[in-house]
Amino acid sequence: MQSPALLHRFLPIRQVTPVSFLHNHAKRIEKLNEKFKEKNSKELWLKEHGPGGSVKHSTPYSSKQIEQITLDFAKKKNALTGSMMYDFSSIVKKVVRDTTHRVVVVRGANGSFCSGGDLNFVEKIASEEGAFVMNSVMMNAVNKLARSDKVSIAVLEGFTMGGGTELASACDIRVAKKNAKVGFVQGRMGVCPGWGGGRYLVETLGRARAIEYLTTAAEVTAEELHRIGYVNFVYDSEEELESYLNRFNALRTDPFIASKRMVANYSRESSLSEEEKEMKEQLIFMSVWGQNDHKDNIHHIRQSIKAKKEKK
Ligand SMILES: CC[C@H](C(=O)O)C(=O)SCCNC(=O)CCNC(=O)[C@H](O)C(C)(C)COP(=O)(O)OP(=O)(O)OC[C@H]1O[C@@H](n2cnc3c(N)ncnc32)[C@H](O)[C@@H]1OP(=O)(O)O
């Protein structure tokens, strides 16, 4: 059975992945899945192998519609340990089930977003098993977040490095403080994206820029990221940030969720066929059209047009 290292070496030469390689890989994964078949065993493995730091869940904003996930290992610029991956995965499960908040902010403690994988931890788990467990847990968590009905917003400040960029890319929206520096530096560590966020980088930046940033281990400023559309908004003060976040209070719940679902339906991560996507679009649209909210709003808009005319 070929090892993943061998597989990696042969692929560029062959161009087309021979099916037998993927079958061999599937067999290895089957074995690893068998080893970690107990519920939460992968998460617990990460926690055991990587102590330090924590991930917290709170509602620190004046708007009660907004919740926050905070990566907190401040003395290490919020490098992510196994224990933090465990926390992150548990909190994401809670966040996607909850229906009382509509926006989830992902942020780092103490003026930095995330400096990537904790070097002590990644050194300890630098094995095939380690790659499998970390990738499975994190990919599952970021996909859950991306597919949820909530709008996720990564607040980038200070440093966002390596794996930190994957968390940022998996969020629906990124905003950045003027001082933010985002480093797509996994290659410098001899690896490539592995927290499941690589696909979102391609979706957000496009193929050409994703390849450029990853293969040059680019470190990019907030200004440039704003210019190219990776970042939606650049802020200077907490007040500016909060006022941006409050924009997401403008709609009632049903059209808010329908709008998020409509966009997510056409993102690349959707596994539906084109025909199924169209059916889903129809379903989402029909779930709001003609509902009380819709009828009330038609009435209110007509009234306000009439009132404006009468004023003239
Ligand atoms: C699939 C994921 C992938 C992987 O894990 O394999 C990756 O994420 S690869 C990317 C890994 N991350 C990095 O390469 C970033 C390494 N850190 C830095 O380049 C700098 O520390 C930086 C730019 C984040 C901050 O620089 P600054 O000069 O402002 O501060 P310090 O360097 O003094 O850092 C303060 C303190 O934090 C520790 N630190 C920083 N990053 C990490 C980290 N990723 N893991 C563990 N510890 C980290 C640094 O050692 C300092 O600790 P101290 O005890 O004070 O020496």
Side-chain angles (χ1 to χ4, degrees), residues 27-245:
K27 278 186 208 152
R28 301 175 81 86
I29 296 297
E30 212 176 291
K31 275 193 180 163
L32 285 163
N33 270 326
E34 181 59 28
K35 182 170 174 185
F36 289 97
K37 67 175 181 221
E38 294 301 319
K39 199 168 176 236
N40 286 334
S41 59
K42 294 186 194 116
E43 288 81 355
L44 287 166
W45 186 94
L46 290 174
K47 190 177 172 136
E48 229 167 71
H49 284 76
S54 64
V55 181
K56 293 171 182 134
H57 185 209
S58 62
T59 49
Y61 299 98
S62 53
S63 162
K64 293 292 154 237
Q65 309 250 37
I66 307 173
E67 62 194 322
Q68 180 165 296
I69 299 177
T70 310
L71 314 173
D72 192 351
F73 198 8
K75 65 178 181 188
K76 303 285 180 196
K77 306 273 177 194
N78 307 318
L80 220 70
T81 63
S83 173
M84 290 166 75
M85 290 178 185
Y86 173 93
D87 289 350
F88 182 74
S89 157
S90 320
I91 290 174
V92 165
K93 281 181 199 155
K94 214 161 89 180
V95 162
V96 301
R97 275 198 308 264
D98 155 84
T99 52
T100 53
H101 306 95
R102 56 168 62 171
V103 171
V104 53
V105 167
V106 182
R107 198 168 187 186
N110 220 23
S112 197
F113 184 70
C114 171
S115 60
D118 171 63
L119 299 176
N120 292 326
F121 168 63
V122 294
E123 191 172 20
K124 211 191 284 178
I125 66 148
S127 62
E128 185 185 15
E129 184 171 86
F132 165 79
V133 176
M134 181 176 74
N135 173 266
S136 307
V137 171
M138 291 304 282
M139 186 154 70
N140 197 301
V142 301
N143 285 345
K144 273 203 172 87
L145 196 61
R147 290 170 188 160
S148 88
D149 279 342
K150 298 201 172 158
V151 170
S152 51
I153 305 181
V155 174
L156 311 181
E157 50 194 328
F159 290 103
T160 301
M161 309 292 275
T165 65
E166 299 195 51
L167 297 185
S169 302
C171 287
D172 294 317
I173 293 171
R174 285 146 296 284
V175 301
K177 195 164 182 177
K178 270 190 179 148
N179 73 355
K181 179 77 72 69
V182 179
F184 300 87
V185 298
Q186 288 94 331
R188 246 194 247 158
M189 294 271 293
V191 292
C192 60
W195 292 2
R199 68 197 296 173
Y200 301 103
L201 182 69
V202 183
E203 186 170 298
T204 311
L205 280 183
R207 179 186 165 113
R209 217 178 288 264
I211 290 180
E212 180 196 314
Y213 281 179
L214 287 172
T215 58
T216 60
E219 290 189 28
V220 193
T221 60
E223 194 190 1
E224 174 167 347
L225 291 170
H226 186 225
R227 189 175 52 76
I228 64 172
Y230 183 79
V231 155
N232 277 17
F233 179 72
V234 177
Y235 70 94
D236 209 8
S237 65
E238 279 301 303
E239 290 72 33
E240 276 173 30
L241 171 64
E242 189 145 0
S243 132
Y244 175 82
L245 295 176

